[in-house]
Amino acid sequence: MQMKLTFKIVLLMAVSVTLSAAVLAQELRRSGFLGIVATPLTDEARKQLGSGETGILVKSVVDGGSAKDVGIKANDIITQVNDHKVIDVGDFLQVVKTLRAGDVAKVSLLRGTERLSKEMSVKPRPFESAPDVETLYKAVSVNGSLRRVIVTKPKDNARHPAVLYINGVGCFSQESLDLSSTDTKLLYGLTRAGFVTMRVEKSGMGDSLGPPCLSPEVDMQSEIGGYIAGMRALKGYPFVDDGNVFLVGLSVGGVEAPLIAQQVPVRGLVVINTVAKSFMEYLNDTRRRQNLLRHTPYDELEGRLKLNERCNHRLLIELQTPEQLLKDIPDCADYIAYPAPYTFMQQWAALNLAEEWKKIDAPTLVVYGSSDYISTIADDPYLMEIINGFHSGRATLKAIPNMDHYMLKASSMEESMKRTAAAPIEFEPLVLESIKTWLQQQTKPSVSANR
């Protein structure tokens, strides 16, 4: 069936008409927490297994998890979880991700020459928390399935302005239990300044139910539907001043922000390190920039870009499936490997972003970091011009020196791109200060302190 590339989105109810938000949150069971740090099998560990047998090596067990309670230890080899034979670390993580608090899990393992079976009641994953902020775990209904929403609010009974946060492209949970992510540093910082914030977990991620995040049915329309449901719920909370609700979008969140605002009016929008031009133009610019930063020889670079254009024209413009495309051009594999479903990328490529922003008449802050190697810095002043061209004076541009795409400090694009997972990272506090100040300036006095 041909996919319809349309953004005529049906408004989604934030919660079922028959269920309160509290009931929804109770029905959405918490993800399970085994507390196993898994690592690939070593050569020595493989020798302990039978012919054709696979599994993972337990690197360590975490306090508070179910595994430690039943005596699973470091250097145990896990071969099976319930009826599923474990293949490798990725496979193990996918299996345990399906476990919910209260489930019973049976783990088969090898300890030296001894084969053991450990049965455990799965504990709930810990929750985010901060002593000076109230963190609430709620839920909204989206296309018949429940999505987790994580709300932070000041610890009082007053009504507050609020922010719906729209994250970047990809499939990941937005939780950060130790509050170390740049997202949580931004959002908890805004809450300490008096703002309620909300994150909406994507389909199949975190506690959220629904189709797997990378499945073709989880396209951009579907993702936006989740944010619309979240926004409608956010406006209905008794602790939110529904006349002062804002959208803050990072990366592709800035692409989705005007589409959400068309469906649910907002007081203003903030977009961070986002895209303003067509996706194909953005993709070509970005892949050229990144190859230059890697010092790719120019002839090789231009050859890659030529193949990139050929591959993505067929995927994104001619709307072929990856299977169709790779059957004809196997060399396209690396060029169409995206962190989101191909249907999501096709709908993004179909957008005329200037046309979408034309429909939004609301104050907008365009923020960008000078060390962002993922988005195109030239897009940000261009986006300000687009918005002000249609709605004079509505857009403001704010550059953050030495900030990268992830809101981290970086002295250059090259430093950001070469950063390894083990490298120390530091959140750029100027982005929080800039957004907080702008939001405070845009917040209108509340009409009434009571509902």
Side-chain angles (χ1 to χ4, degrees):
M1 184 172 65
Q2 187 175 7
M3 181 183 64
K4 294 181 180 179
L5 294 174
T6 174
F7 279 85
K8 195 174 182 181
I9 301 173
V10 177
L11 289 180
L12 297 168
M13 292 300 293
V15 296
S16 166
V17 293
T18 60
L19 293 175
S20 69
V23 172
L24 283 175
Q26 290 170 2
E27 287 200 349
L28 184 52
R29 294 165 62 202
R30 183 67 172 149
S31 297
F33 181 55
L34 295 189
I36 294 173
V37 179
T39 190
L41 294 173
T42 61
D43 290 341
E44 186 64 29
R46 290 182 191 282
K47 293 177 183 177
Q48 300 177 47
L49 296 175
S51 176
E53 199 172 13
T54 57
I56 60 96
L57 187 66
V58 177
K59 182 177 181 181
S60 61
V61 290
V62 181
D63 289 341
S66 305
K68 190 164 189 177
D69 288 353
V70 297
I72 292 177
K73 301 177 181 180
N75 297 318
D76 285 347
I77 300 171
I78 294 177
T79 58
Q80 188 166 322
V81 177
N82 292 330
D83 295 328
H84 182 87
K85 294 186 182 299
V86 175
I87 300 171
D88 53 25
V89 172
D91 179 60
F92 175 74
L93 295 176
Q94 286 299 315
V95 172
V96 299
K97 192 168 71 172
T98 64
L99 297 174
R100 298 271 164 171
D103 288 349
V104 174
K106 184 177 180 181
V107 175
S108 301
L109 60 88
L110 185 65
R111 181 178 296 163
T113 58
E114 186 180 10
R115 291 191 178 271
L116 302 172
S117 179
K118 301 286 187 178
E119 188 169 284
M120 67 195 77
S121 176
V122 178
K123 288 187 171 183
R125 177 176 164 84
F127 295 92
E128 281 185 8
S129 65
D132 56 343
V133 170
E134 186 174 357
T135 305
L136 307 173
Y137 281 69
K138 294 179 174 289
V140 294
S141 179
V142 183
N143 292 337
S145 65
L146 297 180
R147 301 275 181 87
R148 172 67 72 209
V149 296
I150 305 169
V151 178
T152 62
K153 66 179 288 291
K155 284 191 165 183
D156 59 33
N157 295 320
R159 294 174 66 213
H160 294 274
V163 164
L164 175 68
Y165 185 64
I166 318 163
N167 212 314
V169 69
C171 294
F172 48 87
S173 174
Q174 297 185 56
E175 275 191 289
S176 177
L177 299 182
D178 61 0
L179 307 184
S180 63
S181 74
T182 54
D183 296 336
T184 52
K185 289 184 184 299
L186 173 66
L187 299 177
Y188 278 76
L190 290 176
T191 298
R192 292 182 179 107
F195 289 86
V196 174
T197 77
M198 174 187 276
R199 285 161 279 166
V200 181
E201 291 276 40
K202 299 180 183 183
S203 182
M205 302 308 301
D207 292 340
S208 287
L209 303 178
C213 180
L214 282 172
S215 63
E217 59 193 295
V218 185
D219 55 18
M220 183 176 270
Q221 288 189 50
S222 172
E223 185 169 300
I224 289 173
Y227 288 123
I228 291 173
M231 175 61 80
R232 291 173 68 87
L234 183 62
K235 284 193 167 191
Y237 294 152
F239 48 83
V240 168
D241 176 1
D242 59 4
N244 282 305
V245 179
F246 299 84
L247 287 169
V248 175
L250 172 70
S251 190
V252 75
V255 172
E256 294 173 315
L259 303 171
I260 298 165
Q262 288 171 32
Q263 302 298 324
V264 187
V266 294
R267 175 71 186 126
L269 304 89
V270 179
V271 294
I272 312 165
N273 295 333
T274 194
V275 178
K277 299 172 185 171
S278 72
F279 179 78
M280 289 292 285
E281 185 174 357
Y282 154 74
L283 183 65
N284 197 63
D285 284 349
T286 295
R287 289 189 167 167
R288 173 175 277 112
R289 177 173 59 256
Q290 292 176 0
N291 274 278
L292 289 171
L293 289 169
R294 295 186 184 98
H295 307 289
T296 304
Y298 289 102
D299 56 341
E300 183 180 339
L301 183 157
E302 293 302 325
R304 290 181 182 180
L305 291 178
K306 186 175 181 180
L307 182 57
N308 173 68
E309 184 176 358
R310 181 185 179 197
C311 297
N312 279 286
H313 191 278
R314 291 182 65 163
L315 179 74
L316 304 176
I317 308 303
E318 298 176 27
L319 305 183
Q320 292 188 1
T321 66
E323 292 76 18
Q324 291 171 323
L325 174 54
L326 294 176
K327 184 178 180 180
D328 293 342
I329 317 175
D331 288 346
C332 283
D334 288 344
Y335 295 89
I336 63 168
Y338 292 108
Y342 74 91
T343 49
F344 183 105
M345 306 308 298
Q346 288 174 342
Q347 289 179 345
W348 182 357
L351 289 172
N352 177 340
L353 288 171
E355 183 179 14
E356 303 304 337
W357 278 106
K358 184 179 181 180
K359 301 169 187 174
I360 304 302
D361 185 8
T364 303
L365 177 65
V366 181
V367 181
Y368 71 97
S370 66
S371 299
D372 182 2
Y373 72 93
I374 294 175
S375 295
T376 302
I377 287 177
D379 268 25
D380 300 285
Y382 180 58
L383 178 56
M384 181 188 68
E385 292 171 4
I386 288 172
I387 296 168
N388 286 338
F390 294 125
H391 308 285
S392 181
R394 285 305 225 180
T396 303
L397 185 67
K398 177 63 179 180
I400 309 291
N402 300 321
M403 183 182 80
D404 72 3
H405 191 74
Y406 308 101
M407 300 186 289
L408 293 168
K409 288 186 175 182
S411 62
S412 66
M413 293 184 189
E414 192 165 9
E415 178 190 316
S416 175
M417 189 172 71
K418 290 182 176 179
R419 183 186 288 124
T420 64
I425 58 174
E426 186 177 356
F427 175 66
E428 175 48 73
L430 184 56
V431 69
L432 167 60
E433 187 62 31
S434 300
I435 293 172
K436 178 187 73 174
T437 300
W438 186 86
L439 290 172
Q440 290 170 335
Q441 291 170 348
Q442 300 302 321
T443 298
K444 299 183 300 183
S446 182
V447 175
S448 171
N450 299 303
R451 282 189 183 270

